[in-house]
Amino acid sequence: MQLLVVGSSLGAQVTAVALASTGHQVCLIVDEMPHYHALEQGRSLWREPGLDSLLQEVQHQGLLTLSSLEAWPSLPSQPYAAVFLALAPNQWSLAESITLRLGQMLPEFLLVNQSTFPVGSTEALQALLPDAQHQATVCLPDLLQEGAALAGWTRPERILLGCKTDWAEERLREILRPFNRRQDHFMVMSPREAEFTKLAITGMLATRLSFMNDMANLADALQVDIEAVRQGVGSDPRIGDQYLYPGCGFGGLSFSRDVMSLATTLEDSGVGSELLEEVLVINERQKEILFRKAWQHFETHLQGKTFAIWGAAFKPGSDRIDNAPVLRLLQALWAQGARVQVHDPKALDALAAWAGERDDLQLCATAAEAVDGADALMLLTEWKTYWSPDFEQLRRQLRTPVIFDGRNIYDPQYLQSIGFTYYGVGRQAGDKTRTTEVWR
């Protein structure tokens, strides 16, 4: 089919590349010229596993073509079977103008709204179209996870579809058939229900994360190891173990934005949500957990200290630092006169753009360079490269053998046995012999 995808978001690019890879003829309309030039050269806008190579492959096969938003109105009209709209939340006026133009140029088409706009937006776009019988809008919420976006699109666990029109559902099912073969992943509901479901999913995940962070902080006070508690809670089939890992707070552009969007929706409706407000408060407070532990360990004397930081991206696999814990941590350390040496496999460019030139910030090419001469190590992002370091070499490089583990990836008992002072999030060392036998 001839398909049109509009936007520069991660969802837009993954949608275009994935659909083209199954044989559809896809035109991707990019709304910013720098993004257009990057894609034209075969460079994806997002560092996602497999995305660059698949982008270049479908471009080489002629299955994916590009156009800028400025040039699109002058292109000859195509009989697009569907138009996927994957815009940023602040691009509602653009969504309206594109929908109006499509309504004028295409007597029959399907508009697939993937953008995270307020609940009711898909119906509002439908109202702009002159022929409700032959021009339909549906909602296909973007459920992608950065770092696994392409895999999530091509092998979905579920496909939420907000749709009221039989022919529109039938056409979209055919378009997505290559990704829906082993079993039917579609969950069909009204557009408003689909839009709200996407926000509610994000709110639930954020609530679980913040709850476990609260429990981890309480575990510190009670001298309880949160890891044993986490496994016990996760073993209950009514709860499960997903998103129960405590840490130094969540970030990310899409995740944080969707939580805020849900909070705004609740506030604007007059319902409000004390629970969600508290979730956001807990998360922002949690981003400073390692700073508070360092403040206590060094007895408030942080001026002149050097901290190694492993991980700046908000999650492994991403090069983005949107709302990442590292931002709050850096600001807190700098305010106390400390300097930092940071390593991250992908996110150093983004961090440099955010921080600018600073004497108290050193961006390091290797994890070992970041640690060299530091007073302590802080781990913020659980990249695989950090999971099994040479601890003996690490102890020699640090001025004092102190590790602040913001993701609880290390064994407190082992590190203490080889001479480290270890701080996790709700982790206790103590005698783990019996616990190890029970849980392992």
Side-chain angles (χ1 to χ4, degrees):
M1 296 185 187
Q2 294 277 349
L3 304 175
L4 184 68
V5 180
V6 185
S8 296
S9 66
L10 173 61
Q13 188 174 332
V14 171
T15 296
V17 170
L19 290 173
S21 71
T22 64
H24 293 298
Q25 292 287 334
V26 181
C27 178
L28 174 59
I29 305 295
V30 186
D31 54 6
E32 294 185 25
M33 287 307 295
H35 295 162
Y36 172 81
H37 294 312
L39 289 168
E40 193 177 35
Q41 297 167 13
R43 293 185 289 109
S44 65
L45 308 177
W46 306 78
R47 291 189 179 181
E48 284 288 327
L51 191 54
D52 267 342
S53 58
L54 191 57
L55 168 67
Q56 294 165 10
E57 180 181 330
V58 294
Q59 285 180 308
H60 178 72
Q61 294 173 343
L63 294 170
L64 177 65
T65 58
L66 302 171
S67 179
S68 66
L69 194 62
E70 292 83 355
W72 173 57
S74 61
L75 294 177
S77 177
Q78 298 287 339
Y80 295 113
V83 178
F84 291 78
L85 212 57
L87 300 173
N90 61 352
Q91 293 182 303
W92 173 249
S93 59
L94 178 59
E96 289 181 310
S97 63
I98 290 174
T99 302
L100 286 169
R101 173 163 174 78
L102 290 170
Q104 296 170 354
M105 64 185 286
L106 299 176
E108 178 184 313
F109 80 103
L110 171 62
L111 180 66
V112 183
N113 179 27
Q114 295 181 286
S115 313
T116 305
F117 293 136
V119 175
S121 300
T122 301
E123 293 177 352
L125 294 176
Q126 177 71 63
L128 298 175
L129 298 175
D131 188 347
Q133 184 176 356
H134 299 98
Q135 298 173 327
T137 62
V138 300
C139 176
L140 187 71
D142 175 1
L143 300 177
L144 300 181
Q145 298 181 42
E146 291 188 39
L150 188 60
W153 219 104
T154 56
R155 295 187 294 275
E157 295 181 354
R158 76 199 68 81
I159 303 175
L160 293 183
L161 174 60
C163 179
K164 293 182 177 180
T165 309
D166 290 342
W167 72 262
E169 179 184 342
E170 181 181 349
R171 181 174 299 183
L172 191 60
R173 281 180 174 274
E174 174 58 26
I175 293 171
L176 301 183
R177 177 171 46 81
F179 314 116
N180 193 48
R181 294 185 62 196
R182 294 184 179 179
Q183 67 182 71
D184 188 4
H185 297 290
F186 274 89
M187 300 182 66
V188 184
M189 55 193 72
S190 74
R192 281 177 176 265
E193 290 166 344
E195 291 164 340
F196 188 62
T197 299
K198 187 260 176 76
L199 296 179
I201 288 173
T202 308
M204 175 61 77
L205 298 180
T207 300
R208 289 170 67 96
L209 288 170
S210 290
F211 174 80
M212 283 307 294
N213 283 334
D214 243 8
M215 294 302 99
N217 296 337
L218 180 58
D220 274 336
L222 297 176
Q223 296 185 332
V224 170
D225 188 355
I226 195 62
E227 177 60 15
V229 175
R230 181 193 67 78
Q231 293 187 39
V233 171
S235 69
D236 190 317
R238 297 169 298 176
I239 299 173
D241 61 2
Q242 294 291 318
Y243 282 76
L244 285 185
Y245 290 88
C248 52
F250 62 79
L253 177 62
S254 299
F255 194 82
S256 300
R257 179 194 65 200
D258 291 347
V259 175
M260 293 299 297
S261 180
L262 177 58
T264 301
T265 299
L266 288 164
E267 183 178 352
D268 291 346
S269 69
V271 175
S273 173
E274 293 182 6
L275 173 62
L276 198 59
E277 290 174 4
E278 188 61 24
V279 165
L280 294 170
V281 169
I282 292 171
N283 186 58
E284 290 306 304
R285 184 172 65 233
Q286 198 70 12
K287 291 178 182 179
E288 295 183 351
I289 185 70
L290 298 192
F291 169 78
R292 293 195 296 272
K293 290 178 180 291
W295 175 269
Q296 294 173 353
H297 174 81
F298 290 105
E299 298 178 338
T300 75
H301 301 302
L302 300 184
Q303 186 169 4
K305 293 286 191 294
T306 298
F307 291 91
I309 294 179
W310 282 358
F314 79 93
K315 68 178 295 185
S318 175
D319 65 343
R320 302 188 66 84
I321 60 170
D322 306 87
N323 304 309
V326 70
L327 306 183
R328 290 287 293 270
L329 176 61
L330 288 176
Q331 290 170 335
L333 290 173
W334 287 334
Q336 296 300 316
R339 64 182 302 274
V340 293
Q341 299 172 175
V342 185
H343 174 263
D344 188 282
K346 292 185 178 182
L348 290 186
D349 288 344
L351 188 62
W354 174 81
E357 291 288 338
R358 298 182 63 106
D359 294 335
D360 49 9
L361 171 64
Q362 179 183 345
L363 303 180
C364 302
T366 66
E369 181 186 348
V371 171
D372 199 28
D375 292 283
L377 168 64
M378 294 179 166
L379 184 136
L380 270 68
T381 313
E382 62 271 36
W383 290 98
K384 291 298 183 183
T385 188
Y386 302 145
W387 279 70
S388 301
D390 183 338
F391 287 114
E392 293 298 330
Q393 176 66 23
L394 185 60
R395 190 175 58 184
R396 288 192 294 268
Q397 287 185 277
L398 289 169
R399 291 177 185 168
T400 55
V402 182
I403 293 179
F404 298 92
D405 181 0
R407 297 301 174 186
N408 289 351
I409 68 173
Y410 300 133
D411 185 326
Q413 187 178 19
Y414 173 73
L415 287 182
Q416 290 189 8
S417 72
I418 61 173
F420 280 92
T421 300
Y422 174 88
Y423 295 92
V425 182
R427 297 302 312 273
Q428 306 292 324
D431 181 8
K432 293 296 184 64
T433 304
R434 186 172 183 278
T435 304
T436 299
E437 291 176 354
V438 171
W439 289 111
R440 292 183 183 175

